[in-house]
Amino acid sequence: MMSLFKNLGKTVKPIPLPAHTMDLPGYVRMPDFIRSYIDHLASKNFSKATMRRYVYDFDSFFQFVAEASGESIQARDITQEAFLEIDGSGIAAYAEYLALTKQNAPSVINRKLSALQSLFRHLIDIGVLSENPVAKINRPKQAKRDPVYLTKREWDELMQLLPSNVEMNAREATHYERDRVRDITLFQLLGYSGMRLSEMTQLTWNAVDFHEGTIRVIGKGNKERVIPLAKPVRVALRKFAAHYSLTMRGPEPIFQKQGKALSPRAVQHILKRHVDRLRPVLPFLERKQITPHKLRHTFATRLATGGVDVLTIQQLLGHESVATTQVYAHIGDREKKRAIELFDSER
């Protein structure tokens, strides 16, 4: 019995991979200490999207190591001891490689460095490292840009043409007939709720309360928030349920395909397909790259221009910090000023 506890954690008995790794391409290629870190993130309720991005960024770093050393390296064979020998000059060389060789944008470079910095911070927390080699690296500066969003007129024009067969051939129109109501509902929900794409694809009928007029959303960090059910969304969901003979209750995802929740990538593809076909008749789509996240911006901007305070917008969007939300207040003020200027010019 004594030896059982003494050797706990040193057993050679194979342990099945954790469930969260099923959707993390590259997880099995990672070194043991990085897989342990990803498992740690999973235990803290980090989203799969975040963990997937970390694995991708760690893989990018090991590719750099292989290129810089000129050796054939299998990431899984790298030991924690060998990894901890890296210093600031090695991280600086990686940042330079990302900028000059890979020509990554500043935002991408900062994201990849942040992934490493988070890993090193974890290694410090567990007592195997004393200093974070990423902390003193000069990061590339990112230009601050206002979020891309649709004005009310642009949104109205888009929603007016979305149900139509404009710019479709006969075959495409026949195919669209099956998905028309679903696609309209997806757009309405994104534009009138401000939900993240991942939140919407996980939404169940049980989370929608038509009597109270609310949607219960599970966001980042497994945090719950409640969003008022806008009338266009209420109407769209009822039509959606009626059209596809759905019961409007239960724990199953609202949007499904072949019995499984519609994936975020599938929704991105659906939106892109409609934006591409409507671009010839809606000129603003030429200069605005509309994605599900841009419709989240559209929702937030509509609130800001309508005079909603920043703290309320923060709560509706599920932002951790109000600083993230502050940009919408800036846009709201600018749009109000422009409206007054137009009013004055008519006098």
Side-chain angles (χ1 to χ4, degrees), residues 171-230:
R171 183 184 62 80
E172 290 169 336
T174 301
H175 178 77
Y176 186 35
E177 194 62 38
R178 181 192 65 196
D179 297 328
R180 189 188 314 272
V181 176
R182 181 203 65 185
D183 292 3
I184 293 170
T185 307
L186 290 171
F187 270 79
Q188 293 280 30
L189 199 49
L190 286 168
Y192 281 105
S193 74
M195 276 190 282
R196 298 179 178 91
L197 179 54
S198 59
E199 295 169 347
M200 187 184 74
T201 54
Q202 295 168 14
L203 194 68
T204 67
W205 285 112
N206 282 346
V208 182
D209 189 329
F210 287 97
H211 178 70
E212 293 293 332
T214 60
I215 305 174
R216 185 167 36 83
V217 178
I218 306 300
K220 289 185 175 181
N222 212 30
K223 292 181 179 178
E224 180 180 301
R225 69 184 190 277
V226 175
I227 302 173
L229 188 63

Side-chain angles (χ1 to χ4, degrees), residues 132-272:
N132 197 321
V134 184
K136 296 181 180 179
I137 300 300
N138 290 326
R139 304 285 191 97
K141 292 183 178 180
Q142 296 176 227
K144 289 188 177 180
R145 295 180 297 177
D146 284 343
V148 174
Y149 61 92
L150 294 176
T151 64
K152 184 180 185 305
R153 178 185 60 79
E154 291 168 344
W155 168 259
D156 290 343
E157 289 179 359
L158 176 62
M159 293 310 299
Q160 184 178 359
L161 286 179
L162 183 66
S164 72
N165 294 343
V166 169
E167 297 295 317
M168 287 185 182
N169 57 37
R171 183 184 62 80
E172 290 169 336
T174 301
H175 178 77
Y176 186 35
E177 194 62 38
R178 181 192 65 196
D179 297 328
R180 189 188 314 272
V181 176
R182 181 203 65 185
D183 292 3
I184 293 170
T185 307
L186 290 171
F187 270 79
Q188 293 280 30
L189 199 49
L190 286 168
Y192 281 105
S193 74
M195 276 190 282
R196 298 179 178 91
L197 179 54
S198 59
E199 295 169 347
M200 187 184 74
T201 54
Q202 295 168 14
L203 194 68
T204 67
W205 285 112
N206 282 346
V208 182
D209 189 329
F210 287 97
H211 178 70
E212 293 293 332
T214 60
I215 305 174
R216 185 167 36 83
V217 178
I218 306 300
K220 289 185 175 181
N222 212 30
K223 292 181 179 178
E224 180 180 301
R225 69 184 190 277
V226 175
I227 302 173
L229 188 63
K231 184 177 179 180
V233 177
R234 189 194 307 260
V235 171
L237 285 173
R238 290 190 182 280
K239 286 184 177 179
F240 173 75
H243 183 80
Y244 297 105
S245 302
L246 304 175
T247 60
M248 296 175 64
R249 61 178 180 271
E252 295 80 20
I254 292 177
F255 301 105
Q256 299 187 35
K257 186 173 185 179
Q258 298 177 342
K260 295 182 179 180
L262 202 62
S263 69
R265 180 167 294 185
V267 177
Q268 289 172 332
H269 180 73
I270 290 167
L271 192 149
K272 183 178 185 303

